[in-house]
Amino acid sequence: MKIRYITSHGIAEWVEFNEGDRDTLILSFTPQHAGALLIGGKILPLCEGEVEIPISSLRDGEYSPRLESDSGVYAVESFTKHGKSITLKDDGSLARRLLKRCCDLEAEIINLRTRTQKLEISCNGHQIFDFERKEK
């Protein structure tokens, strides 16, 4: 099995789940990080942005791993292990985070447009860009 995560803003959000080999769980992080994953009291090193966990080494229950990497610490979205199956939690938190990011980006766009307009007024008011070179 493989769960692919995208890391940003301190959170690793799952974006893809592939039920393949039921003996090993692979957690893959994009962009690739160097570091370690803390899960179930164990510290597992990442190799090229991935960590392989034997399913048999995990007890049944919910896991909320933490990724400690060269670029920061990330709370990894949780999953539940039951027997040889893995289920991912989908409580709508991803949609809320995306909505918040969109609102933050819209506010940033408005701020940048305002600053750009002020800069244009400032530059045009002094006519410093209306200079013509007069050559003989």
Side-chain angles (χ1 to χ4, degrees), residues 62-75:
E62 185 173 343
Y63 289 90
S64 298
R66 190 173 79 206
L67 173 64
E68 294 187 0
S69 70
D70 52 353
S71 62
V73 178
Y74 298 91

Side-chain angles (χ1 to χ4, degrees), residues 1-3 17-27 44 50-58 79 81 83-86:
M1 287 183 234
K2 185 172 187 175
I3 305 173
F17 179 59
N18 183 2
E19 288 190 61
D21 177 23
R22 291 199 169 258
D23 295 329
T24 304
L25 174 63
I26 300 171
L27 303 181
L44 305 171
E50 293 187 347
V51 63
E52 291 187 20
I53 307 165
I55 295 285
S56 59
S57 70
L58 298 174
F79 61 87
K81 186 235 180 206
K84 286 195 169 194
S85 68
I86 300 289

Side-chain angles (χ1 to χ4, degrees), residues 9-34:
H9 304 291
I11 297 173
E13 300 168 326
W14 71 271
V15 292
E16 187 177 337
F17 179 59
N18 183 2
E19 288 190 61
D21 177 23
R22 291 199 169 258
D23 295 329
T24 304
L25 174 63
I26 300 171
L27 303 181
S28 176
F29 299 95
T30 303
Q32 289 186 358
H33 297 280

